Amino acid sequence: MAQAKLTIDLAALRANWRALAHMGQAEAGAVVKADAYGLGIDAVAPALAAEGARRFFVAIAEEGARLRGILGPAPEICVFSGHMAGDATLIRDAQLTPMLNSIDQMLRHVEALPGHAFGIQLDSGMNRLGMEPAEWRALREIALAQRPSLVMSHLACADEPGHPMNDHQLRVFREMTDGIAAPRSLAATGGVLLGSDYHFDVTRPGIGIYGGLPFLDALPVAFVDIPVIQLRDVLPGETVGYGNTWTAERPTRVATIAGGYADGILRSMSHKAFLWAGETRCPVLGRISMDLIGVDVSAVEGEPESLELLGRHQSVDTLADWAGSIGYEILTSLGTRYARAYTGA
């Protein structure tokens, strides 16, 4: 079978969520936006719900409606983008909780869905989403009188524990929310790791659930194995791949494998990435193309049937370093051509 395989270990995923949940006294939610970071919300969300997650976070109402169909009526599903124009029917029918981030959204929500649940998103300094302090002061008493289910903000630099922005945002968030009765939330994965001062009432672990940094102790969740289509012997002076960017300096055994940038193996990893045949590290040769990659398997005994890109030997963040990116992009870029398998259910 010339199809790369993506295996998702649900037992590891649940263990990562449990470890992050146990780091503080707060309730731990789960961020499952972008199809559970590319790993499949249909399998991931029920696994997290079975482990104890009762509050889920998605990016847009359409994701929330899909998640409601998967999980049923019990959990709360919060929508980071709030109440966008045209979302009222989805929000109502799927019983979603929009995280309102402006006065305009507040007006839209109370006019379209009076009495329907909502949360509030505040801007504590990231300047991305949320009500700024002056806007919040004007709306605070009106909003709190309608009993929001959650008041949240988001940290810009939580992956850098010593960054002064963390303390600044913590102080601003406290100034904006101290004394309110509604549950508060500031910490995603990085914020959880910053310590209890950042936990408040609800945490929102995301990337750490899926095996990514900054959660150093995360178990690997995603495993990618790519089949070998062909083996060939390349002589000194011959080249591999588009643009003749790699030239053999010695006799080289080259495996052409069935994967490429159409599968989320980013082209920017060319000349930097490695794959593994058992315990043997094998460098990528030349440019990564859409469907094919050349790999040096000269040190491998026998004829490997597949090579490991992601899993036991290297994480999503290893791949991200080669690509000049972050683990989030690696996970969410994994394409639809993989033969997907779930273990540890």
Side-chain angles (χ1 to χ4, degrees):
M1 180 176 71
Q3 185 179 17
K5 184 177 182 181
L6 170 60
T7 303
I8 295 99
D9 185 345
L10 295 176
L13 179 135
R14 293 196 309 269
N16 289 340
W17 180 85
R18 190 166 59 245
L20 289 164
H22 289 169
M23 287 184 183
Q25 299 302 310
E27 172 197 343
V31 181
V32 293
K33 61 183 180 177
D35 196 28
Y37 288 51
L39 299 186
I41 198 170
D42 299 72
V44 167
L48 293 171
E51 197 60 36
R54 294 293 177 265
R55 195 185 309 236
F56 291 82
F57 296 87
V58 296
I60 58 176
E62 288 78 4
E63 290 180 335
R66 180 184 172 195
L67 181 58
R68 180 63 72 202
I70 295 167
L71 293 181
E76 182 173 18
I77 300 173
C78 300
V79 180
F80 284 137
S81 62
H83 188 143
M84 300 289 288
D87 280 354
T89 300
L90 272 180
I91 290 170
R92 181 196 64 214
D93 292 351
Q95 289 297 296
L96 307 178
T97 303
M99 303 305 298
L100 308 178
N101 53 66
S102 68
I103 291 176
D104 288 344
Q105 283 206 350
M106 174 65 75
L107 293 173
R108 179 183 297 132
H109 186 70
V110 298
E111 288 175 1
L113 298 173
H116 187 97
F118 69 94
I120 296 288
Q121 189 161 183
L122 302 177
D123 176 27
S124 56
M126 190 175 187
N127 285 310
R128 191 175 67 168
L129 277 182
M131 301 181 195
E132 296 183 3
E135 190 177 16
W136 175 236
R137 282 194 297 271
L139 193 64
R140 173 174 165 144
E141 297 310 316
I142 297 171
L144 294 177
Q146 299 186 59
R147 298 185 179 180
S149 65
L150 188 68
V151 177
M152 64 161 283
S153 189
H154 193 64
L155 295 166
C157 302
D159 291 1
E160 303 174 58
H163 199 291
M165 187 64 167
N166 295 321
D167 286 340
H168 170 75
Q169 286 192 260
L170 176 61
R171 177 178 55 78
V172 171
F173 186 63
R174 283 176 168 160
E175 289 172 355
M176 295 176 79
T177 61
D178 276 353
I180 71 173
R184 295 184 287 176
S185 178
L186 181 61
T189 298
V192 171
L193 299 172
L194 289 177
S196 59
D197 285 350
Y198 291 83
H199 294 176
F200 292 92
D201 304 296
V202 178
T203 60
R204 310 185 308 271
I207 188 65
I209 299 174
Y210 305 98
L213 293 175
F215 186 22
L216 289 171
D217 295 328
L219 299 175
V221 172
F223 300 78
V224 171
D225 296 282
I226 306 175
V228 175
I229 300 174
Q230 187 180 69
L231 292 166
R232 67 174 62 237
D233 293 310
V234 174
L235 299 177
E238 293 187 318
T239 62
V240 171
Y242 283 120
N244 296 352
T245 60
W246 183 85
T247 302
E249 297 179 354
R250 55 176 175 75
T252 305
R253 187 74 161 154
V254 176
T256 301
I257 62 174
Y261 56 76
D263 305 289
I265 306 168
L266 303 182
R267 190 170 180 268
S268 53
M269 291 193 283
S270 301
H271 303 287
K272 304 170 189 173
F274 292 82
L275 291 93
W276 290 79
E279 298 303 314
T280 302
R281 194 172 186 238
C282 306
V284 166
L285 304 178
R287 291 178 181 164
I288 294 169
S289 59
M290 184 182 292
D291 315 296
L292 302 169
I293 304 171
V295 182
D296 183 352
V297 294
S298 303
V300 179
E301 294 186 8
E303 298 188 353
E305 295 184 357
S306 66
L307 300 177
E308 174 197 308
L309 175 68
L310 181 62
R312 287 192 309 116
H313 295 93
Q314 52 203 28
S315 71
V316 293
D317 295 287
T318 309
L319 274 61
D321 286 344
W322 293 329
S325 183
I326 55 176
Y328 300 76
E329 184 181 16
I330 300 299
L331 282 176
T332 57
S333 295
L334 297 175
T336 58
R337 290 198 299 189
Y338 291 99
R340 292 191 174 217
Y342 292 90
T343 63

